[in-house]
Amino acid sequence: MSGINLLPWREWERGRRNRAFVAGLVASAAGAVGVALAVAAGIDHLTARQDGRADFLRGHLAVLEERIVEVRRLRNRREELAAQLAVVRGLRDERFAFPRMLHALAGTIPPGIHYARLARTGEVISISGTAASATRISVLMRRLAASERFGTPALRGIQEDRENAEYGGRTVQFDLTLPWLPNTDPGEDG
Protein backbone atom coordinates (compact mmCIF):
# COMPACT_ATOMS: atom_id res chain seq x y z
CA MET A 1 0.00 0.00 0.00
CA SER A 2 2.85 2.16 0.22
CA GLY A 3 2.79 2.48 -3.54
CA ILE A 4 -0.48 4.39 -3.58
CA ASN A 5 -0.04 8.06 -4.07
CA LEU A 6 -2.81 9.98 -2.24
CA LEU A 7 -1.52 13.40 -3.09
CA PRO A 8 -3.80 14.01 -6.13
CA TRP A 9 -6.78 12.82 -4.17
CA ARG A 10 -5.84 15.14 -1.31
CA GLU A 11 -5.43 17.98 -3.79
CA TRP A 12 -8.76 17.16 -5.34
CA GLU A 13 -10.45 16.91 -1.89
CA ARG A 14 -8.84 20.15 -0.75
CA GLY A 15 -10.09 21.92 -3.93
CA ARG A 16 -13.59 20.50 -3.38
CA ARG A 17 -13.61 21.74 0.24
CA ASN A 18 -12.38 25.17 -0.83
CA ARG A 19 -15.11 25.37 -3.47
CA ALA A 20 -17.70 24.22 -0.90
CA PHE A 21 -16.40 26.77 1.56
CA VAL A 22 -16.49 29.57 -1.02
CA ALA A 23 -19.98 28.44 -2.11
CA GLY A 24 -21.06 28.46 1.54
CA LEU A 25 -19.61 31.93 1.97
CA VAL A 26 -21.36 33.17 -1.17
CA ALA A 27 -24.62 31.51 -0.10
CA SER A 28 -24.28 32.98 3.40
CA ALA A 29 -23.55 36.43 1.98
CA ALA A 30 -26.49 36.12 -0.42
CA GLY A 31 -28.71 34.97 2.46
CA ALA A 32 -27.50 37.83 4.65
CA VAL A 33 -28.18 40.31 1.85
CA GLY A 34 -31.61 38.72 1.32
CA VAL A 35 -32.41 38.89 5.04
CA ALA A 36 -31.15 42.48 5.18
CA LEU A 37 -33.33 43.39 2.19
CA ALA A 38 -36.31 41.62 3.76
CA VAL A 39 -35.76 43.40 7.08
CA ALA A 40 -35.33 46.75 5.29
CA ALA A 41 -38.52 46.12 3.31
CA GLY A 42 -40.35 45.19 6.53
CA ILE A 43 -39.08 48.29 8.28
CA ASP A 44 -40.08 50.43 5.27
CA HIS A 45 -43.54 48.83 5.34
CA LEU A 46 -43.92 49.44 9.08
CA THR A 47 -42.62 53.02 8.71
CA ALA A 48 -45.07 53.70 5.88
CA ARG A 49 -47.88 52.21 7.97
CA GLN A 50 -46.89 54.35 10.98
CA ASP A 51 -46.67 57.43 8.74
CA GLY A 52 -50.18 56.65 7.52
CA ARG A 53 -51.40 56.47 11.12
CA ALA A 54 -49.60 59.73 11.94
CA ASP A 55 -51.19 61.43 8.91
CA PHE A 56 -54.58 60.10 10.01
CA LEU A 57 -54.03 61.49 13.51
CA ARG A 58 -52.79 64.83 12.15
CA GLY A 59 -55.93 65.10 10.03
CA HIS A 60 -58.17 64.38 13.02
CA LEU A 61 -56.15 66.74 15.21
CA ALA A 62 -56.64 69.50 12.66
CA VAL A 63 -60.40 68.82 12.71
CA LEU A 64 -60.37 68.86 16.51
CA GLU A 65 -58.38 72.11 16.56
CA GLU A 66 -61.01 73.68 14.31
CA ARG A 67 -63.72 72.44 16.65
CA ILE A 68 -61.83 73.82 19.66
CA VAL A 69 -61.59 77.21 17.97
CA GLU A 70 -65.32 77.06 17.21
CA VAL A 71 -66.12 76.08 20.81
CA ARG A 72 -64.01 78.97 22.12
CA ARG A 73 -65.77 81.34 19.75
CA LEU A 74 -69.15 80.03 20.90
CA ARG A 75 -68.16 80.34 24.56
CA ASN A 76 -67.08 83.93 24.02
CA ARG A 77 -70.36 84.63 22.25
CA ARG A 78 -72.27 82.97 25.11
CA GLU A 79 -70.44 85.15 27.64
CA GLU A 80 -71.23 88.25 25.59
CA LEU A 81 -74.89 87.25 25.43
CA ALA A 82 -74.94 86.51 29.16
CA ALA A 83 -73.50 89.96 29.86
CA GLN A 84 -76.10 91.56 27.59
CA LEU A 85 -78.83 89.52 29.27
CA ALA A 86 -77.59 90.64 32.70
CA VAL A 87 -77.75 94.26 31.56
CA VAL A 88 -81.28 93.77 30.23
CA ARG A 89 -82.37 92.07 33.44
CA GLY A 90 -80.79 94.83 35.48
CA LEU A 91 -82.62 97.44 33.46
CA ARG A 92 -85.86 95.51 33.82
CA ASP A 93 -85.40 95.19 37.58
CA GLU A 94 -84.45 98.86 37.83
CA ARG A 95 -87.60 99.76 35.93
CA PHE A 96 -89.70 98.15 38.64
CA ALA A 97 -87.48 99.06 41.61
CA PHE A 98 -88.54 102.70 41.92
CA PRO A 99 -92.31 102.01 41.98
CA ARG A 100 -91.71 99.22 44.51
CA MET A 101 -89.67 101.59 46.66
CA LEU A 102 -92.44 104.21 46.56
CA HIS A 103 -95.04 101.58 47.38
CA ALA A 104 -92.97 100.38 50.33
CA LEU A 105 -92.46 103.93 51.58
CA ALA A 106 -96.18 104.65 51.29
CA GLY A 107 -96.90 101.55 53.39
CA THR A 108 -94.67 102.72 56.25
CA ILE A 109 -95.70 106.38 56.52
CA PRO A 110 -97.82 107.10 59.63
CA PRO A 111 -100.50 109.79 59.71
CA GLY A 112 -99.18 113.27 60.44
CA ILE A 113 -96.08 113.06 58.22
CA HIS A 114 -95.61 114.53 54.77
CA TYR A 115 -92.57 113.93 52.58
CA ALA A 116 -91.27 117.07 50.92
CA ARG A 117 -88.36 115.47 49.06
CA LEU A 118 -87.30 111.92 48.19
CA ALA A 119 -83.95 111.22 46.56
CA ARG A 120 -82.30 107.92 45.78
CA THR A 121 -78.57 107.64 45.21
CA GLY A 122 -77.63 104.03 44.47
CA GLU A 123 -79.14 102.04 47.29
CA VAL A 124 -79.52 104.97 49.76
CA ILE A 125 -82.75 106.93 50.05
CA SER A 126 -82.76 110.46 51.44
CA ILE A 127 -86.08 111.75 52.81
CA SER A 128 -86.94 115.28 53.88
CA GLY A 129 -90.35 116.19 55.19
CA THR A 130 -92.61 117.66 57.81
CA ALA A 131 -94.10 115.88 60.82
CA ALA A 132 -96.81 116.91 63.26
CA SER A 133 -94.44 116.04 66.13
CA ALA A 134 -91.12 114.38 66.88
CA THR A 135 -93.06 111.34 68.10
CA ARG A 136 -94.40 110.81 64.58
CA ILE A 137 -90.81 110.69 63.29
CA SER A 138 -90.00 108.01 65.87
CA VAL A 139 -93.00 105.98 64.67
CA LEU A 140 -91.87 106.42 61.05
CA MET A 141 -88.33 105.29 61.84
CA ARG A 142 -89.60 102.19 63.70
CA ARG A 143 -91.86 101.27 60.76
CA LEU A 144 -89.01 101.75 58.28
CA ALA A 145 -86.66 99.62 60.40
CA ALA A 146 -89.31 96.88 60.70
CA SER A 147 -89.80 96.74 56.93
CA GLU A 148 -87.98 93.98 55.03
CA ARG A 149 -87.24 96.33 52.16
CA PHE A 150 -85.32 98.95 54.12
CA GLY A 151 -82.32 98.92 56.40
CA THR A 152 -82.02 100.90 59.62
CA PRO A 153 -82.83 104.60 59.03
CA ALA A 154 -80.48 107.33 60.22
CA LEU A 155 -81.88 110.70 61.28
CA ARG A 156 -79.59 113.42 59.91
CA GLY A 157 -81.43 116.42 61.26
CA ILE A 158 -84.60 117.64 62.96
CA GLN A 159 -85.77 121.24 63.31
CA GLU A 160 -88.84 122.86 64.88
CA ASP A 161 -91.17 124.77 62.55
CA ARG A 162 -93.57 126.77 64.75
CA GLU A 163 -94.89 128.79 61.84
CA ASN A 164 -96.36 125.78 60.01
CA ALA A 165 -100.08 126.41 59.62
CA GLU A 166 -100.97 122.82 58.71
CA TYR A 167 -99.79 121.06 61.89
CA GLY A 168 -99.59 123.83 64.46
CA GLY A 169 -96.93 124.71 67.03
CA ARG A 170 -95.37 121.25 67.49
CA THR A 171 -94.42 120.87 63.83
CA VAL A 172 -90.91 119.64 63.01
CA GLN A 173 -88.98 119.31 59.80
CA PHE A 174 -86.76 116.26 59.47
CA ASP A 175 -84.10 114.83 57.23
CA LEU A 176 -83.21 111.12 57.28
CA THR A 177 -81.48 108.47 55.18
CA LEU A 178 -82.09 104.77 54.93
CA PRO A 179 -80.69 101.92 52.86
CA TRP A 180 -82.91 100.34 50.21
CA LEU A 181 -82.69 96.54 50.08
CA PRO A 182 -84.09 95.71 46.62
CA ASN A 183 -82.93 92.07 46.73
CA THR A 184 -85.39 91.36 49.55
CA ASP A 185 -88.29 92.58 47.43
CA PRO A 186 -90.81 89.70 47.15
CA GLY A 187 -92.28 90.86 43.83
CA GLU A 188 -89.03 91.20 41.88
CA ASP A 189 -90.07 89.00 38.95
CA GLY A 190 -93.09 91.09 37.99
Side-chain angles (χ1 to χ4, degrees):
M1 253 219 197
S2 64
I4 299 177
N5 186 5
L6 296 177
L7 283 177
W9 180 82
R10 285 183 187 158
E11 288 291 324
W12 178 76
E13 186 64 24
R14 195 177 299 136
R16 188 189 63 78
R17 280 188 202 159
N18 282 343
R19 283 189 301 275
F21 178 73
V22 169
L25 278 178
V26 169
S28 294
V33 168
V35 167
L37 289 176
V39 167
I43 289 174
D44 286 344
H45 173 72
L46 291 175
T47 303
R49 201 167 142 197
Q50 191 64 28
D51 287 343
R53 288 179 184 166
D55 290 341
F56 175 78
L57 288 176
R58 279 189 206 102
H60 280 295
L61 285 175
V63 169
L64 290 176
E65 288 294 328
E66 290 174 7
R67 287 183 182 171
I68 288 171
V69 168
E70 180 67 16
V71 166
R72 285 184 182 146
R73 188 185 66 75
L74 289 174
R75 281 186 181 162
N76 289 340
R77 181 68 180 141
R78 183 185 68 187
E79 289 172 3
E80 290 171 2
L81 289 174
Q84 290 175 356
L85 185 60
V87 167
V88 168
R89 283 184 178 154
L91 290 173
R92 183 199 65 193
D93 292 345
E94 184 65 26
R95 183 177 115 197
F96 294 114
F98 191 71
R100 286 187 190 127
M101 179 189 68
L102 291 178
H103 181 71
L105 283 173
T108 58
I109 191 167
I113 290 187
H114 288 102
Y115 292 149
R117 186 183 68 81
L118 288 172
R120 181 175 146 214
T121 306
E123 303 302 327
V124 177
I125 302 168
S126 298
I127 301 173
S128 297
T130 306
S133 67
T135 308
R136 305 282 179 154
I137 297 172
S138 298
V139 172
L140 172 67
M141 291 180 70
R142 278 194 295 272
R143 285 185 178 184
L144 289 171
S147 174
E148 295 176 352
R149 295 179 179 110
F150 302 110
T152 305
L155 189 61
R156 290 193 308 188
I158 189 167
Q159 186 177 30
E160 286 186 4
D161 185 10
R162 295 185 188 269
E163 298 174 10
N164 189 311
E166 189 174 342
Y167 289 124
R170 297 178 49 198
T171 304
V172 291
Q173 292 186 354
F174 65 93
D175 190 17
L176 63 89
T177 61
L178 70 147
W180 167 246
L181 307 173
N183 293 335
T184 61
D185 205 3
E188 258 188 312
D189 296 330

